[in-house]
């Protein structure tokens, strides 16, 4: 299977978000990655359910919503109702990880967990049978445009190893500092999807950049 590419609209012009999601489709990408930050779990604030709901009208692509918020269990249902197709969150930010995963699934959506750059693989281990997507951060969550941390890639390899060993079905997605330069390494580690913010939105030829990562 070819690597799926999910451009992050965090790197788009916030005054032209509808155009950004339309461009993501024109560039031939696979999913749209939406970074939701609350200023509490991470030191940055982006947007919430109203933005997802608004963008849903402009795109028929998979909306991959990455929640960097505290107590995600309070909001996952609302993100599903707003039109998210996939909702992922950070388990250490939640008081009810299983409940939040179950709620996403009960809405007919895909659920996933995220391992932040400073967190160990073990935080997701007991939920691996319940998730559709395992998102591994290769930067500390909070901002776009940071440098890729190669030391985080071994968590993707561990996710791939356990998936094979126990027959789990989750996809493995990598987020943070991804570009055509490191995508091969991620493929080898077992990644199925890459998030790319600045490398796509700041590219002189975004279509080509997307294509170079669909390996
Ligand atoms: C970081 C976000 C990422 C980020 C990726 O907290 O989760 O999705 O937007 O942006 P780049 O590709 O620029 O690192
Ligand atoms: Zn993200």
């Amino acid at each position: 299977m070819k690597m799926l590419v999910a451009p992050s609209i965090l790197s788009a012009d916030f005054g032209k978000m509808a155009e950004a999601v339309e461009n993501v489709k024109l560039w031939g990408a696979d999913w749209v990655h939406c970074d939701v930050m609350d200023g509490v779990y991470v030191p940055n604030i982006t947007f919430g359910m109203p933005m997802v709901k608004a963008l849903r009208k402009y795109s028929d692509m998979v909306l991959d919503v990455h929640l960097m918020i505290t107590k995600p269990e309070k909001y996952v249902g609302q993100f599903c109702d707003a039109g998210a197709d996939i909702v992922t969150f950070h388990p250490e930010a939640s008081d009810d990880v299983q409940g939040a995963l179950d709620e996403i699934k009960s809405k007919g959506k895909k659920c996933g967990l995220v391992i932040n750059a400073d967190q160990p693989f073990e935080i997701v281990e007991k939920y691996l049978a319940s998730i559709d997507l395992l998102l591994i951060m290769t930067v500390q969550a909070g901002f776009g445009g940071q440098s890729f941390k190669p030391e985080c890639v071994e968590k993707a390899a561990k996710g791939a190893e356990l998936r094979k060993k126990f027959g789990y079905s989750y996809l493995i997605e990598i987020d943070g500092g991804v570009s055509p330069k490191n995508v091969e390494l991620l493929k080898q580690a077992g990644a199925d999807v890459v998030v790319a913010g600045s490398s796509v939105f700041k590219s002189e030829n975004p279509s080509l950049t997307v294509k170079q990562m669909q390996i």
Side-chain angles (χ1 to χ4, degrees):
M1 197 177 90
K2 269 194 187 172
M3 184 78 85
L4 302 176
V5 175
S8 166
I9 54 169
L10 181 61
S11 297
D13 178 342
F14 271 39
K16 295 182 180 171
M17 279 304 207
E19 202 178 297
V21 293
E22 286 167 352
N23 280 336
V24 166
K25 179 153 189 165
L26 293 174
W27 296 335
D30 301 284
W31 297 357
V32 178
H33 186 80
C34 304
D35 285 307
V36 175
M37 305 187 192
D38 69 351
V40 181
Y41 175 67
V42 286
N44 191 10
I45 300 178
T46 55
F47 53 77
M49 298 78 84
M51 177 66 89
V52 173
K53 191 172 179 190
L55 295 179
R56 180 75 287 170
K57 288 188 248 157
Y58 293 90
S59 183
D60 58 4
M61 293 181 76
V62 168
L63 295 183
D64 168 31
V65 176
H66 173 193
L67 300 181
M68 287 160 273
I69 65 175
T70 50
K71 310 235 182 314
E73 61 275 14
K74 283 165 108 178
Y75 303 100
V76 289
Q78 294 178 59
F79 278 98
C80 292
D81 294 342
D85 297 292
I86 306 170
V87 179
T88 62
F89 62 91
H90 292 252
E92 74 279 19
S94 178
D95 293 332
D96 185 11
V97 174
Q98 192 64 51
L101 293 173
D102 291 344
E103 183 167 3
I104 299 164
K105 285 198 266 195
S106 77
K107 298 266 184 187
K109 307 301 176 103
K110 306 277 188 204
C111 66
L113 290 175
V114 193
I115 312 177
N116 210 339
D118 65 355
Q119 295 293 318
F121 188 89
E122 288 65 38
I123 59 163
V124 297
E125 216 151 358
K126 67 174 173 180
Y127 305 107
L128 291 176
S130 308
I131 60 174
D132 302 299
L133 186 73
L134 176 62
L135 174 50
I136 292 160
M137 300 295 303
T138 40
V139 298
Q140 186 66 15
F143 299 91
Q146 302 181 73
S147 311
F148 179 76
K149 289 177 181 286
E151 65 272 22
C152 296
V153 176
E154 65 191 40
K155 290 180 225 173
K158 173 97 179 161
E161 181 197 320
L162 293 180
R163 175 170 64 182
K164 196 170 176 199
K165 188 169 170 194
F166 296 107
Y168 298 135
S169 55
Y170 51 78
L171 294 178
I172 298 173
E173 182 178 38
I174 310 279
D175 184 6
V178 175
S179 74
K181 286 190 190 138
N182 50 30
V183 71
E184 179 63 44
L185 171 80
L186 303 176
K187 179 98 187 172
Q188 280 167 19
D192 307 289
V193 190
V194 288
V195 175
S198 31
S199 67
V200 169
F201 279 94
K202 309 265 184 274
S203 171
E204 279 176 16
N205 187 343
S207 304
L208 178 64
T209 304
V210 166
K211 206 170 175 189
Q212 286 170 334
M213 293 189 278
Q214 287 167 326
I215 57 172

